[in-house]
Amino acid sequence: IGSQMDRVVTEEQWLQKWETGNIGFHKEQGHPLLQKYLDVLLRGRSGLRIFFPLCGKAVEMKWLADMGHSVVGVEVSEQALKEFFSEHTLPYCEEPVPEISGAKKFQCTSRNISLYCCSIYDLSSSLVGKFDGVWDRGSLVAVNPCDRQRYVSLMITLMEKNSSYLLVTVSYDPNKHKGPPFYVPESEIKSLFGDHCEINCLQKVDDFSERHRQWGLDYFLEVLYLLKFVA
């Protein structure tokens, strides 16, 4: 992990990925692990508030809104958010966020979907409220390793008690690929979240593909955790 700890990907580099279509992390059909473990996130409850950190144009935001849940996402790329609405032909209005300089909020007018275009670190519970559930796929593994503690501290302030947080991390040899996505070992999940959450590893999935082979890797796993907020 030491080889990745100093790695920094700038906001401009993320924006460029969207501009050039270099978004291999986006799943057109949605994520199979969310489909499989949706009940674990929802626990039979309706009308939940669900947070998508670093949401991109995740199709699962529409799935959950179609089920009657309220979805809030944050993403630095305005292009990604506009593509989300256009690809699902969802109407929306755009408004400034007075509390955050330069930020915009894209509000769907036919579903309960609010997407903020800004840095995630600009959000606060006073602005967006608290959440019953989080789908964190491609977010913790995308933030710069030096910012992880800051990220987790923010996420904890956004969670209701008894909320469910589904977290997907990736496992591979960090000496062979510099990231992102960054390798986050289970020991680090425990040190980051352990004081506030019960942590259960639900599944490990072999997700190795030609893309990972081109990165120089010989294995690539997705690891799904359920974090339950107890404090």
Side-chain angles (χ1 to χ4, degrees):
I1 316 163
S3 55
Q4 295 188 343
M5 281 321 284
D6 300 329
R7 173 113 163 96
V8 171
V9 183
T10 64
E11 204 168 279
E12 286 67 34
Q13 286 171 296
W14 283 112
L15 293 174
Q16 193 175 15
K17 283 178 188 286
W18 283 99
E19 282 161 20
T20 57
N22 180 18
I23 53 167
F25 48 81
H26 175 68
K27 286 199 184 306
E28 294 284 345
Q29 305 303 317
H31 201 292
L33 284 174
L34 183 58
Q35 291 172 307
K36 181 173 178 179
Y37 290 96
L38 188 59
D39 292 347
V40 173
L41 182 65
L42 302 178
R43 302 206 313 270
R45 300 169 298 166
S46 57
L48 299 187
R49 300 192 78 236
I50 299 174
F51 185 47
F52 279 68
L54 311 195
C55 60
K57 55 176 181 176
V59 300
E60 299 91 338
M61 296 192 288
K62 181 170 185 294
W63 297 353
L64 284 155
D66 286 348
M67 292 175 205
H69 302 291
S70 303
V71 171
V72 175
V74 62
E75 167 61 48
V76 76
S77 167
E78 184 170 327
Q79 179 182 337
L81 300 180
K82 288 183 170 173
E83 285 179 12
F84 169 77
F85 288 110
S86 65
E87 287 171 14
H88 297 287
T89 56
L90 290 169
Y92 67 92
C93 57
E94 193 179 310
E95 54 196 62
V97 182
E99 299 88 341
I100 305 171
S101 172
K104 292 180 182 175
K105 178 181 170 186
F106 294 83
Q107 180 66 51
C108 183
T109 50
S110 66
R111 302 280 192 295
N112 209 333
I113 304 174
S114 310
L115 305 181
Y116 289 82
C117 185
C118 61
S119 163
I120 189 169
Y121 303 115
D122 289 332
L123 293 186
S124 64
S125 59
S126 61
L127 183 64
V128 295
K130 295 198 174 207
F131 297 97
D132 308 298
V134 173
W135 171 241
D136 184 332
R137 180 263 159 183
S139 186
L140 178 64
V141 296
V143 301
N144 293 321
C146 59
D147 289 330
R148 270 178 206 157
Q149 186 60 63
R150 181 185 183 196
Y151 173 86
V152 169
S153 299
L154 169 68
M155 296 301 282
I156 285 163
T157 66
L158 297 178
M159 302 308 301
E160 292 282 12
K161 264 191 181 165
N162 302 319
S163 54
S164 301
Y165 185 135
L166 283 180
L167 169 66
V168 181
T169 64
V170 293
S171 179
Y172 60 84
D173 182 345
N175 296 306
K176 293 186 173 179
H177 178 61
K178 61 187 181 183
F182 297 109
Y183 169 56
V184 188
E186 186 160 352
S187 58
E188 190 161 358
I189 300 296
K190 287 177 174 167
S191 71
L192 287 167
F193 287 100
D195 289 346
H196 302 273
C197 305
E198 291 171 11
I199 301 168
N200 289 303
C201 181
L202 298 180
Q203 193 173 350
K204 295 185 180 181
V205 180
D206 179 1
D207 196 41
F208 188 70
S209 68
E210 183 53 39
R211 184 162 72 112
H212 303 126
R213 194 188 313 281
Q214 288 170 2
W215 291 354
L217 299 176
D218 38 28
Y219 72 94
F220 188 93
L221 301 173
E222 283 196 317
V223 187
L224 178 68
Y225 297 93
L226 170 63
L227 311 176
K228 281 192 156 175
F229 276 75
V230 288

